[in-house]
Amino acid sequence: WGPAVGAAGSGSIDLEHANVAYASTGVSANTSGSMTLVDDAFSGVPSSGAVSMWLPNAPKVEGNSVVFDPSASLSEPAYRIYSEALDPGLLTGNTSSGPGINAMQIGGSIGANGTLASQAIPWVIGEFSTYPYSNTTYYCKPVIVPSGQTLTIASGAVIKGKGSGGCDTSTTDPSDSFIDVEGSLDAVGTSGSPITFTSINDNSVGGTTGSGAPNAGEWGPAVGAAGSGSIDLEHAKLSYASSALNFSAGSALLSAVAISHSGTAIDDTGGTISFRGSLIDDSYGVRACDWGSESCTVDAAYSYWGSSEGAFPKGAASLACGAVTTSPYLPSESGETSAEGSVFGSSNCDESPTPSQELTSAEQAYGEHLASEEIRCGEGFEEACKVIKQTEECLNAATTLAQES
């Protein structure tokens, strides 16, 4: 039977301390009105989940429980909430159990500073199949952190991505990150309780929510910054994303961050990033703007690149290109020692010359020219001897200037 309780137009729902059993949907809402669900119990819930909301305002969904029917399968999360003014502090203390997807899916725009808590069930972001669209049409709806807002993620929180191809607020061919930061993201875990971003098919953390066999790069891009977005991500794990961290602008401090099984670990086309962590089993490590560009740089020194040879393993493809500092690097995941390498070791992604390559070319040209003049000087050409002296004086002056600066 059901849906049990529904709202449309400007209708509002305030449902508290209620028991809702064996409904096709417990609460279904596509309304501009207010929405409050507190301490409700939904049982005998089918595979499609108990709560589905599509709202312009912030719902209050706290302390509710969902128990899936024994016949349920892994179809949709227990709670699906899209809001253009999400308040994470009003989405706490909810639980779910049984054979369905025990999770709370959210999408939309953060409307109030708040914290995604570490709760009994994981958060899901990404692909929606809910109002106002039909259940056979899928749209990826990101969590947007607008300029001026701060989203905090608590240590130990688990966020799972559903769907691939990126997210957008209006199209079915999206390109933005699943968490799109234009304000501030403050996600600081601890070594004993890291924050986890992974695929919905990863059942090793946050319970059984998918196939249990996630593939590299199957969701995302996971987290990105645009505009003046600022990201502080510490003691976090990001796995199985097409791009774990995607920057078109902004800045990021990434410390003790482990990225694995991604298509590209860090893709930077416009941000300033400091990364300390590990990159393991990623198809590619770090891409940035060309050397000499001031628009984007990545400092990824003192990081582990998956082998003892750093970002440029012998006999294998490079793991970094563009303005990426990769040295010193950690030759082991324990991070006890570091190994040196070239500061400009990474080539430009478009294969144009790097400062190191330009310096090598200049040194070669200088050596060839000097050798030619030395031969002429030895043959008695006084002009060649003067050129040699002048060249050496210029080189000494340039060296002194560089040392003083």
Side-chain angles (χ1 to χ4, degrees):
W1 70 287
V5 181
S10 59
S12 297
I13 295 175
D14 184 355
L15 188 67
E16 303 183 40
H17 302 282
N19 294 320
V20 180
Y22 302 106
S24 58
T25 301
V27 174
S28 178
N30 177 19
T31 176
S32 61
S34 62
M35 190 64 50
T36 299
L37 304 180
V38 176
D39 295 329
D40 299 316
F42 301 90
S43 60
V45 174
S47 304
S48 55
V51 175
S52 178
M53 298 180 181
W54 199 279
L55 311 167
N57 46 33
K60 182 176 182 179
V61 183
E62 296 180 343
N64 301 285
S65 65
V66 169
V67 179
F68 279 98
D69 188 81
S71 65
S73 60
L74 298 172
S75 178
E76 297 292 343
Y79 309 84
R80 289 176 289 160
I81 299 172
Y82 178 88
S83 167
E84 296 172 9
L86 284 168
D87 183 346
L90 299 179
L91 305 174
T92 61
N94 300 286
T95 64
S96 178
S97 61
I101 299 179
N102 297 304
M104 175 175 281
Q105 182 171 9
I106 59 171
S109 184
I110 299 297
N113 296 340
T115 300
L116 284 184
S118 175
Q119 57 183 10
I121 56 175
W123 304 92
V124 170
I125 53 177
E127 191 176 75
F128 265 90
S129 57
T130 186
Y131 290 111
Y133 308 115
S134 73
N135 285 340
T136 58
T137 303
Y138 293 87
Y139 289 80
C140 190
K141 293 297 180 181
V143 173
I144 300 172
V145 185
S147 177
Q149 298 289 354
T150 298
L151 173 62
T152 301
I153 301 178
S155 62
V158 176
I159 298 97
K160 296 192 175 188
K162 181 185 180 189
S164 62
C167 272
D168 188 84
T169 55
S170 59
T171 71
T172 57
D173 185 21
S175 60
D176 292 338
S177 300
F178 279 29
I179 299 181
D180 192 352
V181 182
E182 299 166 21
S184 297
L185 175 65
D186 187 7
V188 180
T190 66
S191 57
S193 186
I195 297 168
T196 300
F197 300 84
T198 190
S199 166
I200 197 168
N201 289 315
D202 182 1
N203 296 339
S204 68
V205 61
T208 299
T209 52
S211 68
N215 295 311
E218 73 175 18
W219 72 284
V223 181
S228 58
S230 174
I231 294 176
D232 183 0
L233 185 62
E234 303 178 37
H235 293 286
K237 299 178 179 181
L238 297 96
S239 304
Y240 304 106
S242 57
S243 176
L245 297 160
N246 190 31
F247 298 87
S248 61
S251 62
L253 172 64
L254 313 171
S255 177
V257 173
I259 302 175
S260 63
H261 302 97
S262 66
T264 299
I266 300 174
D267 195 350
D268 181 20
T269 60
T272 302
I273 302 167
S274 173
F275 174 81
R276 298 292 183 269
S278 63
L279 304 98
I280 301 175
D281 293 329
D282 301 297
S283 297
Y284 201 82
V286 183
R287 298 180 188 274
C289 298
D290 288 347
W291 288 104
S293 171
E294 297 182 359
S295 60
C296 66
T297 58
V298 179
D299 175 6
Y302 300 100
S303 296
Y304 177 60
W305 294 78
S307 77
S308 61
E309 298 180 341
F312 311 104
K314 296 177 181 178
S318 298
L319 298 174
C321 69
V324 184
T325 303
T326 62
S327 177
Y329 64 89
L330 302 180
S332 65
E333 198 168 3
S334 64
E336 295 178 356
T337 59
S338 62
E340 296 290 339
S342 172
V343 174
F344 302 111
S346 59
S347 61
N348 283 329
C349 299
D350 65 0
E351 299 183 353
S352 61
T354 67
S356 179
Q357 292 166 339
E358 290 179 340
L359 179 60
T360 298
S361 178
E363 288 174 341
Q364 182 178 352
Y366 169 79
E368 291 173 352
H369 178 69
L370 193 61
S372 175
E373 294 300 318
E374 285 175 344
I375 292 173
R376 296 181 68 238
C377 179
E379 293 175 346
F381 290 93
E382 185 178 346
E383 180 182 349
C385 298
K386 290 181 179 179
V387 169
I388 293 171
K389 182 179 179 181
Q390 185 180 28
T391 300
E392 290 176 342
E393 289 174 350
C394 288
L395 179 60
N396 290 334
T399 301
T400 300
L401 181 62
Q403 291 173 341
E404 291 176 349
S405 60

